[in-house]
Amino acid sequence: MIVRDFNKLKNSDRAVSDAKWTSVRMLLADDGMGFSFHITTLEAGSEHTFHYKHHFESVYCMSGRGSITDLATGQTHEIRPGVMYALNLHDRHTLRAEEELVMACCFNPPVTGTEVHREDGSYAPVAETA
């Protein structure tokens, strides 16, 4: 059994920050679960374009308000507490935080914790980060 406390991890090396967001990696690849689990906070007023070409991601909004735009279709969806979205087609997207957004995120394959977003908004394939 794995038990971790977000309140302790948020001040550890499992808290990764970049351009107006912080992701606390609760589970990583080396935990052997087949997915990684993160609590990610996006600053109010921030905008982020991501394209997880090598990962699937599902996200559940716990607090805050914002929107997500599918850049292939131009369709925009409201993000608010209780809304989940899944990037099942490696969807290139822009996420906007009107208020601070706190999101629970799962990645498959799991991230290792050392990833950084590349210029195109993606993480490197797992083989490159291993």
Side-chain angles (χ1 to χ4, degrees):
M1 179 181 297
I2 299 168
V3 177
R4 297 206 169 106
D5 183 339
F6 171 83
N7 294 305
K8 292 178 182 175
L9 294 180
K10 70 182 181 180
N11 296 314
S12 76
D13 62 352
R14 283 187 176 249
V16 177
S17 295
D18 195 7
K20 299 189 179 197
W21 60 261
T22 299
S23 180
V24 178
R25 276 76 189 274
M26 306 287 293
L27 289 172
L28 291 169
D30 63 4
D31 290 311
M33 295 291 296
F35 62 92
S36 58
F37 178 74
H38 316 208
I39 302 298
T40 300
T41 303
L42 295 98
E43 291 182 23
S46 64
E47 182 174 305
H48 313 270
T49 298
F50 301 122
H51 188 192
Y52 298 119
K53 297 188 271 186
H54 311 290
H55 296 80
F56 293 106
E57 182 189 28
S58 64
V59 178
Y60 177 80
C61 180
M62 298 187 311
S63 67
R65 293 201 175 275
S67 64
I68 185 170
T69 301
D70 180 332
L71 295 177
T73 67
Q75 190 171 17
T76 298
H77 303 274
E78 180 183 5
I79 301 296
R80 64 183 186 290
V83 171
M84 184 277 307
Y85 64 86
L87 303 170
N88 62 320
L89 299 174
H90 303 287
D91 313 89
R92 187 168 178 260
H93 61 286
T94 297
L95 187 58
R96 292 174 193 85
E98 295 166 23
E99 302 171 1
E100 179 182 83
L101 283 171
V102 179
M103 319 280 265
C105 312
C106 288
F107 277 86
N108 183 11
V111 302
T112 64
T114 61
E115 292 82 359
V116 293
H117 286 99
R118 301 189 303 182
E119 190 172 308
D120 65 359
S122 71
Y123 288 144
V126 173
E128 290 181 27
T129 60

